Amino acid sequence: MDMIQKNQTWDLVERPKKKVIGVRWVFRAKFNADGSLNKHKARLVVKGYNQHLLKWLSLKEEIYIEQPDGFQVKGQEDKLGFEKSLSEPTLYVKKSKDETLLIVSIYVDDLLVTGSKDVLVNEFKAQMQEVFDMTDLGVMTYFLGMEVNQTDRGIFISQHAFSLKILNKFSMQNCKPVSTPMAQGEKLSSIGDHVRVDEKEYMSLVGCLLYLTATRPNLMHAKEEKLKLVGYSDSDWAGCIDDMKSTSGYFFTLGSSVFCWCSKKQQTVAQSTAEAEYIAAAAAVNQAIWLRNLLYDLNEEQLESTEIKVDNQSAVAIAKNPVFHGKTKHFKIKFHFVRKAEQSKEVSLVHCSSQDQLADILTKPLGTARFETLRKLIGVCCIQSKEEC
């Protein structure tokens, strides 16, 4: 409350006669990476289920909802001088011609800052602490439940403590490990005479595992001077026996390591392997264009087309051939922006062999040897191991 009053977050006024959106306090404990208590936190939030009223009123009264620019004080722009990224609204960048001086990323009330010089980072933190009561946690070691290990070999992110918490929560701490996470050739179905499980517990487990995938390909620093963005796109075909939908998967590398990935069931039923691969490529192209824009904001403009490696020759040919014919006329029109991206030289679909397709690990069950090979290639390793990653 002292901070709210100090920063003049609001003015105390008489309660209006109109509908007022309520607030509530949210209390939680913040823990360190080792599980010890860091501090107790309290946050005052608007009741989310009432926020649609604001949008409704804006339409009724024909007014517009604006978003503040942030990091800008009129008449003193030169003191901070940050530009808000058009591609990522939580990202702010301070530049000097072609040099990136500072990068600031914000998540609610957490803030990360990095820069080309320590003196600039320290100056920024001092300026922020003049306005806000902030705690300087130093070099990042723990952020949003992710453990960060910065060594001479690179920067690694993991969720070791969270993994142990999941095992304990679902009484799996004494179970035997397996070499691959999925059994080959096994098709699961929601239809049949299966033993029913507790839906609440099952959804809780799935949610935990989904959050765990945020750090599965551990991030290692790139060692090249000029970072080159490269993508890998893959899919299975009719992998789900319930609805015959396929699964798309893609990876993106920047320099020497994978840093961006996705595995998701497709929304439409593909009528051929080529269509399934083309739909997966469309998702990868979307991500590639966003990443190119983000890298431009960070002074890492990609002048050449971003290669997206696809192991299906038909899908590559369809993307490069602007002529509609019998085999592609049923494709949804929205997927054909891939051709436009090809023609504008933003991306270039390139055929690669199945053995070189890193995204294979995101779309189907694999044998032990293949799984471990791909896991190593995408940068997942044990940071406690003595072996080189």
Side-chain angles (χ1 to χ4, degrees):
M1 291 299 297
D2 291 339
M3 176 59 63
I4 289 173
Q5 293 173 0
K6 176 184 176 181
N7 292 318
Q8 299 179 349
T9 304
W10 60 57
D11 293 323
L12 189 61
V13 298
E14 295 293 332
R15 184 183 179 93
K17 296 180 180 179
K18 295 182 179 180
K19 175 73 175 180
V20 176
I21 299 177
V23 297
R24 64 171 296 178
W25 286 101
V26 176
F27 303 99
R28 73 181 185 91
K30 184 175 182 179
F31 298 95
N32 300 311
D34 60 2
S36 60
L37 179 66
N38 180 291
K39 61 181 177 181
H40 291 99
K41 298 188 68 174
R43 180 173 292 150
L44 188 63
V45 299
V46 176
K47 293 181 179 179
Y49 51 84
N50 283 330
Q51 290 188 15
H52 67 277
L53 289 172
L54 180 60
K55 294 182 180 178
W56 181 83
L57 287 172
S58 68
L59 293 174
K60 181 181 178 183
E61 303 296 334
E62 296 184 354
I63 60 176
Y64 296 95
I65 303 173
E66 297 184 359
Q67 181 173 339
D69 293 334
F71 278 116
Q72 192 178 78
V73 179
K74 289 186 177 181
Q76 302 184 46
E77 292 85 356
D78 58 318
K79 291 189 177 181
L80 290 176
F82 283 87
E83 295 180 12
K84 183 178 180 180
S85 171
L86 296 177
S87 305
E88 177 51 62
T90 65
L91 181 68
Y92 295 82
V93 183
K94 185 174 184 178
K95 305 177 184 177
S96 177
K97 296 182 179 180
D98 293 334
E99 182 183 5
T100 301
L101 302 177
L102 286 173
I103 300 173
V104 178
S105 180
I106 302 172
Y107 181 81
V108 190
D109 59 349
D110 288 319
L111 183 148
L112 294 178
V113 57
T114 184
S116 57
K117 300 176 183 177
D118 289 341
V119 63
L120 295 176
V121 175
N122 293 331
E123 182 181 325
F124 169 78
K125 290 192 293 186
Q127 290 176 336
M128 293 297 291
Q129 287 175 332
E130 287 180 4
V131 182
F132 302 101
D133 287 341
M134 301 177 64
T135 302
D136 185 358
L137 300 178
V139 177
M140 182 171 62
T141 58
Y142 194 59
F143 185 69
L144 300 179
M146 294 182 288
E147 301 157 45
V148 183
N149 189 300
Q150 303 187 46
T151 70
D152 294 336
R153 291 190 299 160
I155 300 174
F156 301 82
I157 57 176
S158 66
Q159 291 173 294
H160 179 258
F162 183 65
S163 300
L164 294 178
K165 182 179 178 181
I166 295 176
L167 292 175
N168 289 327
K169 180 178 180 179
F170 297 99
S171 303
M172 297 285 287
Q173 62 269 36
N174 296 321
C175 291
K176 296 180 180 179
V178 294
S179 55
T180 54
M182 298 178 68
Q184 282 187 286
E186 186 172 351
K187 297 286 186 177
L188 300 179
S189 173
S190 60
I191 304 171
D193 299 327
H194 306 297
V195 178
R196 301 293 295 178
V197 299
D198 186 295
E199 290 188 18
K200 184 178 180 180
E201 184 176 12
Y202 176 76
M203 294 302 295
S204 176
L205 174 58
V206 171
C208 290
L209 293 177
L210 285 174
Y211 189 71
L212 189 62
T213 62
T215 58
R216 284 310 300 151
N218 292 10
L219 179 65
M220 300 194 302
H221 73 282
K223 300 178 182 177
E224 299 178 14
E225 291 185 3
K226 187 60 180 176
L227 301 179
K228 183 179 179 181
L229 183 68
V230 179
Y232 297 81
S233 170
D234 191 34
S235 80
D236 65 352
W237 184 40
C240 180
I241 63 175
D242 286 341
D243 54 21
M244 291 299 154
K245 292 181 179 179
S246 308
T247 298
S248 296
Y250 63 72
F251 274 118
F252 280 93
T253 63
L254 193 64
S256 63
S257 59
V258 168
F259 76 102
C260 175
W261 56 92
C262 178
S263 178
K264 187 177 182 180
K265 183 191 283 190
Q266 297 177 1
Q267 294 181 344
T268 58
V269 178
Q271 298 184 44
S272 64
T273 55
E275 184 179 2
E277 294 277 4
Y278 195 75
I279 293 173
V285 169
N286 260 329
Q287 186 71 2
I289 293 174
W290 179 77
L291 289 172
R292 286 172 63 90
N293 292 335
L294 191 61
L295 288 170
Y296 174 82
D297 292 338
L298 296 173
N299 270 345
E300 290 292 343
E301 183 179 8
Q302 303 291 294
L303 298 175
E304 299 178 354
S305 301
T306 297
E307 290 186 354
I308 298 180
K309 299 184 179 182
V310 181
D311 61 5
N312 185 284
Q313 291 182 333
S314 297
V316 175
I318 293 169
K320 297 182 181 296
N321 181 7
V323 179
F324 285 86
H325 48 78
K327 293 184 178 179
T328 62
K329 65 182 180 182
H330 61 280
F331 284 19
K332 282 194 173 183
I333 294 176
K334 70 176 183 177
F335 297 125
H336 289 284
F337 81 92
V338 175
R339 291 177 175 173
K340 184 179 179 181
E342 276 268 3
Q343 293 168 2
S344 65
K345 306 297 183 183
E346 290 184 278
V347 301
S348 176
L349 266 60
V350 178
H351 178 258
C352 70
S353 67
S354 297
Q355 284 299 114
D356 296 328
Q357 180 55 267
L358 297 185
D360 211 28
I361 199 172
L362 296 178
T363 60
K364 58 186 72 71
L366 301 172
T368 301
R370 175 68 172 159
F371 177 81
E372 292 180 350
T373 298
L374 288 178
R375 185 176 61 183
K376 183 177 181 180
L377 288 174
I378 64 178
V380 176
C381 59
C382 179
I383 59 176
Q384 280 99 11
S385 174
K386 296 181 181 180
E387 299 178 1
E388 288 289 331
C389 295

